[in-house]
């Protein structure tokens, strides 16, 4: 047995029957079932008791009156006690008084002819003390009375009447004298009641007599009546009543029927007013739809559904049907509007929400997403068709205009296409993606949890982006029209297009799209960048190819490697320009983009390949320029005097001789190999591109080959005629040879050889500068080879003549002396070989003579030898 | 009769007169061995936390939901400085709707906790009215009275400066305590402090002579007649 319940708190502490009372205390039961009794002021309230916790019970007070304990009884603790008390009081219910208990509102009909039984509560007993009642002011507090007389009552008629209470309640301010007088009055009254009936009759003799008179009168009247109407008065009465009823009916039937009609009308009117909302709804829906205040419509619709959704009234059902139809129309309208593109995404979401709140069957948001995607697709295609058409139009007009102009127009059109497509993509995805996100976040109802939906959305976005990328590829990468565009315009266009795409790409990144679609766009951008790079390089290639026409043969500069024209510089400039354009336009990667020319990447390889093609084209140009023999121009095969007459600086570009061109091409090649290629390589490095080592290497090799080809060609055309003259000149002299004549000088052919060499040297040196020795050496070598050949062919019989031998030795020695600076090992070998066929000198005298002749030759030929040896690299 | 107050017309005397009529058996039912009862009344504007303080003190619970009180009564035994006493708490309605019936309640109170919310300056302003009403009803300047600033846990929403509160308490010459019915901060303190004041007040009264009491009653009588 646990501790008994103790009630220590009551809220509120007083109230009329039915007051909701919160009882607090301790040990008020361990569970609902533990509570087995609750009495408030003695009234059992267990029925209404709600057990909340062991400290709290909520109940309703019973019909008790007065102050009393709250006794809780539990199975576990038995009957409890209370430290606080509840006071119940009755309220007289008035029309303005709030009441917690049910009171019949309709008052019972007051019958004017009937008698209302007097309510006992309104019965006010006469003042027993015969004292005038005092005012209500200064009333004795009722609570204190309750405290003083816990079981008492102040009512005279009650069993537990307490005189003290009564006195305190009614006469707390009455003086003792008055009270004594009252006591006397009361005693007298009691006394008079004790005296009995006789005294009562005595006191009321007049009244009794009067009553008797009345009774007699009544009896007389009754008898008279009976005489008049017989024993049975009722039938005649009934007939009279019935007649009066009929009369009354006939009198009132019209009025009543009119009243009925009026009532009905009134009823209908009140019905209309009461359900004004419903009846006016169709109209108001129309109005609100016109005003586009769909929220109001939805609200009204929901309200009407709640209010009349389950109505059985035919009229209401009819109106509801009408409303439903309107709502269906509205749904249809909203649906179409939601689907109709273009539409602001906020507005679309608004429509979706409206559709959702209108219980549109179907997944509104999903439809919206789909329609948005379809719109995007169709927009893309439309953009494409539009610009295609425009482009074709441009081209069809091209007979009116120049091709170039048309092409620049076309490129502009493509640029606009690109911009429009980018704009469309970013704008539409900008709308579509947040919509989808909200959809999948569950904000827009539907079935976002469907697994297929996610995949479908992904497919949609990828499809859209792929379409975009396809279009961009057709638009930008398969460009045919931009071939003839000026380079600046091309660059501007490229940069603009790239910027458009990057902006769109940037937008997509901002949208936080998944990486797959982003990568597709990135790929397009990347490809376009590669395309741009290719374009620039191809452009440069083309320009390099066109260098042939640019060649003026004007010597721009005398470098360490000889005189060069502007070709190497132009090559460098073109390459440099292309590289800078690449660097400026396409190399710089944007956000989340790959490096264009990553080491070892496909684009880098392509770039190197293109560069190689470019450089090789240059080589081809050089080769073409060098070796293309113009029919009108003959190789200048004239002798020294002619060669010397030609002044290099004066030569007009087109009048430059072929061999000079050859030589210039050679030096150009040489210079390019040595200087320009290094510069180009450096330029690549400076722009941060991977070094085109392979291309440079290949070009170097090609240039070397070209140089040798040029040298050979030169030799062929220059050396062969020179060598050819030797034999004839030699033979010419030999016929005149006198066997006895003292030989004091070489034959003229020697001088001719030397002169020719000088002419070659002059020519080569004029062009090649320091590099000229190569050509001279080659010529010398050929000459020596020829001499050796001639020496070998010389008939042995002639060698017998010492004079001839001396002569030959002298000539070879002189040649050796003259060309000593230019002799390669091979050439020297040839000379030695030639000398070896000549018998040696016989005596010292001969030798001395030869030496003196050689010395004389040196003295005489000092100028010639100097000119031959000037500006020479030593071997 | 007006000039010379007759002892027989004094309600208190009339009571004793009437009490004689009551049977002695009923008299014995009156609390005899019950500990001393201190009647505390919670006053203050609606929603300041009077009921919350009361319930926290009585049952250690914090009621989150707000339900306006009409008039609640609580009574329990507590140990005050080693002495077992009973505290009777009358939790009154703060709403203005019940302002008319307050007089009746205040009459029975021996000590008052005048509560306001430190987050609500209006409730603080209203304490002035309550104070005046209490003084008028009790006709006693030194009635045990504590000014209580509740909701001290909501310091960040405080809108009644501490200085202002203290200033008013000083002006009234009553203690000022800040409580939090939520965190039970100072809840016991205010009730016990008030009970101590009531107790010391009662012992003062009992020490005073009977004549003094009579004098007072006489004065009171005069007022009521006038």
């Amino acid at each position: 047995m646990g501790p008994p319940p103790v009630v220590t708190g009551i809220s509120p502490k007083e109230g009329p029957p039915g007051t909701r009372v919160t009882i607090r205390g301790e040990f008020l039961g361990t569970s609902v079932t533990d509570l087995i009794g609750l009495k408030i002021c003695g009234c059992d309230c267990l029925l209404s008791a709600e057990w909340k916790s062991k400290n709290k019970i909520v109940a309703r007070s019973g019909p008790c009156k007065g102050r009393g304990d709250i006794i809780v009884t539990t199975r576990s603790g038995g009957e409890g006690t209370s430290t606080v008390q509840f006071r119940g009081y009755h309220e007289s219910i008035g029309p303005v008084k709030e009441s917690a208990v049910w009171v019949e509102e309709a008052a019972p009909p007051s019958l004017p002819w009937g008698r209302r039984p007097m309510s006992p509560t309104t019965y006010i007993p006469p003042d027993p003390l015969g004292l005038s009642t005092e005012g209500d002011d200064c009333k004795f507090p009722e609570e204190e009375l309750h405290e003083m007389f816990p079981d008492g009552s102040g009512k005279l008629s009650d069993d537990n009447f307490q005189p003290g209470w009564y006195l305190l309640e009614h006469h707390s301010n009455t003086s003792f004298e008055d009270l004594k007088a009252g006591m006397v009055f009361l005693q007298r009254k009691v006394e008079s009641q004790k005296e009995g009936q006789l005294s009562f009759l005595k006191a009321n003799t007049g009244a009794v007599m009067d009553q008797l008179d009345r009774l007699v009168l009544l009896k007389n009247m009754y008898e008279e009546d009976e005489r008049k109407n017989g024993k049975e008065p009722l039938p005649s009465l009934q007939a009279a009543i019935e007649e009066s009823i009929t009369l009354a009916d006939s009198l009132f039937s019209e009025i009543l029927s009119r009243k009925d009609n009026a009532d009905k009308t009134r009823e209908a009117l009140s019905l209309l007013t009461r359900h004004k909302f419903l009846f006016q709804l169709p109209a108001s829906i129309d109005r609100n739809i016109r005003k586009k205040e769909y929220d109001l419509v939805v609200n009204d619709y929901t309200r009407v559904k709640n209010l009349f959704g389950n109505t059985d009234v035919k009229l209401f059902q009819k109106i509801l049907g009408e409303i439903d139809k309107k709502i269906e129309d509205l749904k249809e309208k909203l649906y179409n509007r939601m689907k109709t593109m273009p539409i602001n995404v906020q507005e679309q979401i608004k429509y979706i929400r409206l559709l959702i709140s209108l219980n549109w069957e179907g997944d509104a948001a999903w439809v919206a997403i789909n329609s948005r995607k379809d719109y995007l697709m169709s927009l893309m295609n439309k953009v494409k068709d539009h610009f295609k058409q425009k482009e074709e139009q441009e081209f069809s007009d091209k007979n009116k205009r120049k091709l170039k102009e048309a092409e620049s127009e076309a490129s502009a059109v493509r640029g606009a296409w690109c911009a429009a497509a980018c704009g469309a993509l970013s704008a539409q995805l900008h709308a579509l993606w947040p919509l989808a996100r909200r959809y999948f976040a569950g904000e827009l109802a539907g079935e976002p949890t469907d697994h297929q939906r996610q995949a479908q959305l992904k497919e949609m976005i990828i499809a859209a982006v792929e379409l975009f990328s396809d279009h961009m590829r057709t638009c930008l990468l398969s460009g045919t029209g931009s071939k003839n565009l000026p380079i600046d315009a091309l660059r501007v266009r490229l940069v603009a297009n790239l910027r458009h795409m990057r902006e769109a790409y940037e937008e997509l990144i901002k949208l936080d799209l998944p990486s797959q679609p982003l990568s597709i766009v990135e790929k397009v951008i990347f490809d376009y960048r590669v395309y741009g790079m290719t374009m620039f390089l191809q452009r440069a290639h083309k320009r390099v190819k066109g260098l042939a026409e640019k060649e003026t043969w004007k010597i721009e500069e005398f470098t360490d490697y000889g005189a060069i024209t502007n070709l190497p510089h132009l090559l460098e400039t073109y390459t440099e320009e292309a590289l800078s354009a690449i660097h400026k336009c396409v190399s710089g990667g944007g956000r989340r983009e790959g490096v264009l020319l990553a080491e070892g990447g496909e684009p880098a390889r392509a770039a190197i390949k293109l560069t190689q093609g470019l450089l090789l084209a240059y080589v081809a140009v050089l080769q073409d320029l060098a070796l293309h023999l113009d029919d009108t121009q003959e190789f200048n095969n004239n002798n020294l005097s002619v060669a010397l007459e030609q002044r290099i600086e004066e030569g007009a570009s087109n009048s430059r001789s072929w061999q000079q061109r050859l030589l210039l091409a050679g030096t150009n090649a040489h210079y390019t190999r040595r200087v320009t290629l290094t510069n180009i390589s450096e330029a690549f490095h400076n722009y941060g591109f991977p070094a085109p080592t392979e291309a440079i290497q290949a070009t170097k090799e090609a240039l070397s080959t070209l140089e040798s080809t040029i040298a050979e060609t030169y030799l062929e055309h220059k050396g062969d005629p020179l060598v050819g003259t030797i034999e004839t000149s030699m033979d010419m002299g030999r016929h005149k040879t006198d066997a006895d004549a003292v030989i004091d000088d070489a034959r003229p052919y020697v001088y001719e050889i030397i002169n020719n060499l000088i002419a070659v040297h002059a020519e080569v040196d004029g062009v090649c500068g320091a590099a000229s020795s190569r050509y001279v050496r080659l010529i010398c070598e050929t000459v020596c080879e020829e001499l050796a050949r001639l020496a070998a062919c010389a008939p042995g019989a002639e060698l017998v003549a010492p004079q001839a031998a001396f002569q030959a030795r002298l000539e070879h020695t002189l040649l050796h002396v003259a060309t000593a600076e230019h002799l390669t090992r091979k050439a020297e070998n040839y000379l030695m070989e030639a000398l070896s066929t000549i018998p040696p000198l016989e005596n010292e005298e001969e030798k001395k003579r030869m030496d003196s002749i050689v010395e004389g030759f040196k003295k005489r030929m000092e100028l010639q030898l100097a000119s031959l040896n000037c500006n020479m690299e030593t071997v | 009769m007006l000039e010379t107050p007759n002892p027989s017309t004094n309600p208190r005397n009339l009571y004793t007169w009437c009490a004689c009529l009551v049977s002695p058996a009923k008299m014995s039912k009156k609390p005899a061995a019950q500990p001393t009862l201190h009647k505390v009344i919670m006053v203050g504007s609606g929603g300041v936390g009077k009921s919350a303080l009361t319930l926290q003190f009585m049952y250690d619970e914090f009621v989150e939901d707000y339900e306006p009180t009409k008039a609640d009564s609580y009574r329990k035994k507590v140990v005050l400085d080693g002495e077992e006493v009973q505290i009777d708490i009358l939790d009154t309605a703060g709403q203005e709707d019940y302002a008319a019936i307050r007089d009746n309640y205040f009459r029975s109170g021996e000590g008052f906790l005048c509560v306001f919310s430190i987050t609500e300056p209006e409730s603080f302003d209203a304490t002035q009215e309550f104070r005046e009403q209490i003084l008028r009803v009790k006709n006693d300047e030194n009635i045990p009275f504590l000014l209580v600033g509740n909701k001290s846990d909501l310091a960040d929403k405080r809108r009644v400066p501490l200085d202002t509160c203290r200033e008013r308490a000083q002006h009234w010459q009553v203690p000022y305590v800040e409580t939090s019915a939520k965190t039970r901060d100072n809840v016991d303190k205010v009730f016990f402090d008030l009970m101590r004041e009531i107790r010391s007040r009662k012992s003062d009264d009992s020490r005073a002579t009977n004549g003094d009491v009579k004098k007072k009653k006489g004065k009171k009588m005069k007022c009521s007649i006038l």
Side-chain angles (χ1 to χ4, degrees), chain A residues 215-283:
Chain A
L215 280 172
V216 170
L217 203 62
L218 205 63
K219 184 178 173 272
N220 291 341
M221 279 175 81
Y222 179 73
E223 280 168 359
E224 196 186 341
D225 193 49
E226 204 175 48
R227 204 168 51 247
K228 236 194 257 170
N229 296 328
K231 291 270 182 199
E232 292 289 331
L234 285 179
S236 64
L237 202 61
Q238 190 180 0
I241 287 170
E242 271 165 8
E243 192 188 342
S244 69
I245 285 172
T246 331
L247 189 63
D249 275 355
S250 69
L251 275 175
F252 285 104
S253 64
E254 198 193 338
I255 296 170
L256 281 176
S257 70
R258 228 185 282 159
K259 185 181 171 287
D260 276 356
N261 282 337
D263 281 350
K264 271 183 200 159
T265 319
R266 205 173 297 129
E267 215 169 279
L269 275 175
S270 80
L271 196 75
L272 277 174
T273 8
R274 205 141 25 112
H275 304 298
K276 198 168 146 193
F277 167 67
L278 177 67
F279 295 120
Q280 289 187 351
L281 196 59

Side-chain angles (χ1 to χ4, degrees), chain A residues 62-195:
Chain A
C64 59
K65 200 167 177 221
R67 197 171 274 271
D69 281 345
I70 301 111
I71 304 299
V72 176
T73 312
T74 62
R75 221 183 279 281
S76 61
E79 194 174 291
T81 53
S82 158
T83 62
V84 288
Q85 289 184 311
F86 182 78
R87 187 172 77 82
Y89 57 84
H90 290 258
E91 280 179 320
S92 52
I93 307 300
V96 293
K97 183 84 179 172
E98 269 183 285
S99 170
V101 291
W102 178 255
V103 175
E104 189 65 50
E105 257 185 297
S110 60
L111 305 165
W113 56 84
R115 272 203 156 188
R116 198 150 58 133
M118 206 182 241
S119 158
T121 52
T122 56
Y123 169 71
I124 301 158
D127 187 359
L129 297 182
L131 297 169
S132 60
T133 44
E134 294 167 8
D136 279 346
D137 55 327
C138 202
K139 224 177 164 184
F140 202 83
E142 203 179 343
E143 280 168 49
E144 284 187 32
L145 285 170
H146 279 291
E147 267 173 45
M148 272 186 254
F149 309 101
D151 300 323
S153 162
K155 279 205 180 131
L156 290 166
S157 51
D158 283 1
D159 290 343
N160 52 353
F161 172 71
Q162 294 281 355
W165 183 318
Y166 179 82
L167 286 174
L168 283 172
E169 191 174 11
H170 295 284
H171 301 289
S172 57
N173 286 339
T174 316
S175 70
F176 189 59
E177 296 298 328
D178 291 346
L179 281 173
K180 274 205 275 193
M183 180 76 168
V184 173
F185 177 77
L186 188 60
Q187 270 170 351
R188 210 168 41 231
K189 255 186 142 179
V190 172
E191 284 302 317
S192 66
Q193 278 186 358
K194 277 179 186 162
E195 274 173 24

Side-chain angles (χ1 to χ4, degrees), chain A residues 277-500:
Chain A
F277 167 67
L278 177 67
F279 295 120
Q280 289 187 351
L281 196 59
S284 86
I285 284 177
D286 278 346
R287 199 169 53 241
N288 283 330
I289 288 175
R290 264 205 302 286
K291 278 197 270 174
K292 298 204 168 183
E293 286 177 356
Y294 302 113
D295 287 339
L296 281 177
V297 177
V298 172
N299 271 342
D300 287 349
Y301 183 63
T302 324
R303 210 174 121 201
V304 87
K305 272 283 170 202
N306 283 336
L307 286 175
F308 304 102
N310 300 320
T311 186
D312 293 328
V313 183
K314 282 268 158 37
L315 181 65
F316 290 177
Q317 281 174 353
K318 195 178 146 201
I319 290 175
L320 276 180
E322 202 179 317
I323 291 168
D324 280 342
K325 199 168 159 281
K326 280 195 195 302
I327 293 293
E328 284 308 318
D329 289 349
L330 175 64
K331 277 185 204 169
E332 191 66 37
K333 200 168 153 192
L334 286 176
Y335 173 64
N336 284 332
R337 213 170 273 186
M338 181 196 77
K339 260 177 50 176
T340 315
M341 296 286 163
I343 180 172
N344 183 321
V345 70
Q346 268 84 21
E347 217 162 307
Q348 199 175 27
I349 286 172
K350 199 178 108 194
Y351 289 137
I352 292 168
R353 288 192 189 227
L354 285 170
L355 281 174
I356 291 166
S357 41
L358 286 175
N359 297 326
W360 187 72
E361 53 287 319
D363 201 341
W366 187 246
V367 173
I369 290 171
N370 270 318
S371 60
R372 225 168 233 296
K373 173 230 155 196
D374 291 344
Y375 175 65
L376 172 59
M377 293 298 215
S378 71
L379 194 68
M380 287 283 189
N381 284 327
K382 228 187 263 173
V383 165
K384 179 185 162 189
D385 293 346
H386 173 74
F387 285 107
K388 277 266 185 215
Q389 201 184 348
K390 211 165 167 190
E391 202 176 41
E392 272 163 26
Q393 206 180 336
E394 293 291 344
F395 275 105
S396 69
D397 286 351
K398 77 179 168 188
N399 46 2
K400 291 178 201 161
R401 284 184 256 166
K402 278 189 211 158
L403 179 73
K404 208 166 180 180
E405 224 171 284
E407 274 181 353
S408 91
E409 286 290 325
S411 147
V413 165
R414 293 205 162 197
W417 176 8
C418 168
C422 288
L425 179 78
S426 68
Q428 287 307 312
L429 278 183
H430 205 72
L432 173 62
W433 183 245
L435 187 70
R437 275 232 279 234
R438 295 180 83 156
Y439 175 70
F440 284 111
E443 283 178 46
L444 301 174
E447 297 144 22
T449 44
D450 197 338
H451 290 302
Q452 283 186 336
R453 289 284 152 89
Q454 295 263 17
Q456 278 170 353
L457 176 77
K458 199 175 160 193
E459 271 168 32
M460 271 183 206
I461 288 183
I462 288 175
V465 172
E466 260 171 2
L467 185 71
F468 168 76
S469 84
D470 282 353
H471 285 181
M472 285 302 99
R473 274 173 215 279
T474 22
C475 168
L476 302 170
L477 297 185
S478 70
T480 51
S482 53
K483 283 270 192 283
N484 297 321
L485 220 56
I487 188 86
D488 288 336
L490 177 77
R491 189 157 57 210
V492 168
R493 184 60 55 211
L494 194 93
V495 169
N497 290 345
L498 207 54
R499 200 187 60 231
H500 287 313

Side-chain angles (χ1 to χ4, degrees), chain A residues 8-13 83 148, chain B residues 15 59 71-75 105:
Chain A
T8 59
I10 178 89
S11 165
K13 70 186 184 78
T83 62
M148 272 186 254
Chain B
Y15 161 61
Y59 307 109
D72 297 355
S73 175
Y74 302 94
R75 185 181 291 196
Y105 294 138

Side-chain angles (χ1 to χ4, degrees), chain B:
Chain B
M1 221 166 89
L2 281 174
E3 285 85 46
T4 52
N6 194 326
S8 62
T9 55
N10 189 307
R12 214 25 92 169
N13 292 5
L14 188 64
Y15 161 61
T16 44
W17 176 71
C18 290
C20 299
L21 303 173
V22 181
S23 61
K26 274 177 185 170
M27 275 298 285
S28 68
K29 260 191 129 180
K30 281 272 152 194
Q34 284 283 10
T36 330
L37 180 67
H38 298 309
K39 292 184 173 176
V40 173
I41 296 186
M42 311 291 293
V43 298
S45 304
V48 298
K50 296 181 294 299
S51 299
L53 281 171
T54 311
L55 291 174
Q56 183 64 270
F57 175 72
M58 288 291 296
Y59 307 109
D60 294 349
E61 68 173 80
F62 180 64
V63 187
E64 293 272 3
D65 41 337
Y66 176 61
E67 194 185 334
T69 307
K70 222 174 138 192
D72 297 355
S73 175
Y74 302 94
R75 185 181 291 196
K76 78 166 179 183
K77 283 178 193 161
V78 291
V79 177
L80 176 68
D81 303 331
E83 178 196 359
E84 191 175 66
V85 296
Q86 271 201 98
I87 181 165
D88 181 294
I89 303 171
L90 178 62
D91 185 13
T92 65
Q95 278 67 31
E96 274 305 308
D97 314 2
Y98 301 97
I101 58 171
R102 273 189 213 133
D103 271 16
N104 278 332
Y105 294 138
F106 288 180
R107 208 167 280 141
S108 66
E110 293 170 338
F112 295 85
L113 287 180
C114 185
V115 188
F116 68 94
S117 163
I118 62 163
T119 65
E120 207 187 321
E122 293 78 15
S123 72
F124 180 66
D125 295 342
T127 57
Q128 187 75 45
E129 280 175 45
F130 283 107
R131 170 84 179 167
E132 278 163 15
Q133 194 176 5
I134 290 162
L135 292 188
R136 181 163 48 77
V137 171
K138 298 303 286 186
N139 195 20
D140 182 358
E141 286 284 343
N142 299 316
I143 186 80
F145 186 100
L146 251 71
L147 184 60
V148 178
N150 192 26
K151 306 193 186 177
S152 67
D153 52 299
L154 299 176
D156 52 331
K157 290 182 188 161
R158 180 182 199 114
R159 288 182 58 207
V160 186
L162 188 59
D163 292 345
T164 318
C165 309
R166 287 200 172 130
E167 204 177 293
R168 178 165 291 181
Q170 205 169 6
H171 178 239
W172 291 343
Q173 292 185 311
V174 297
Y176 173 67
V177 184
E178 294 213 336
T179 60
S180 167
K182 192 172 184 178
T183 65
R184 206 165 208 278
D185 192 29
N186 278 342
V187 169
D188 283 344
K189 179 183 162 62
V190 287
F191 284 99
F192 279 96
D193 281 2
L194 186 68
M195 280 194 284
R196 282 189 195 104
E197 289 224 9
I198 295 170
R199 189 181 55 184
S200 72
R201 187 67 206 280
K202 278 177 179 166
S203 60
D204 282 357
D205 279 0
S206 64
R207 245 188 278 123
T209 57
N210 219 12
D212 279 346
V213 178
K214 259 185 195 164
K215 226 182 189 175
K216 236 182 201 167
K217 301 280 156 137
K219 241 193 215 163
K220 207 175 173 185
M221 185 64 210
K222 241 183 208 168
C223 290
S224 64
I225 287 169
L226 282 171

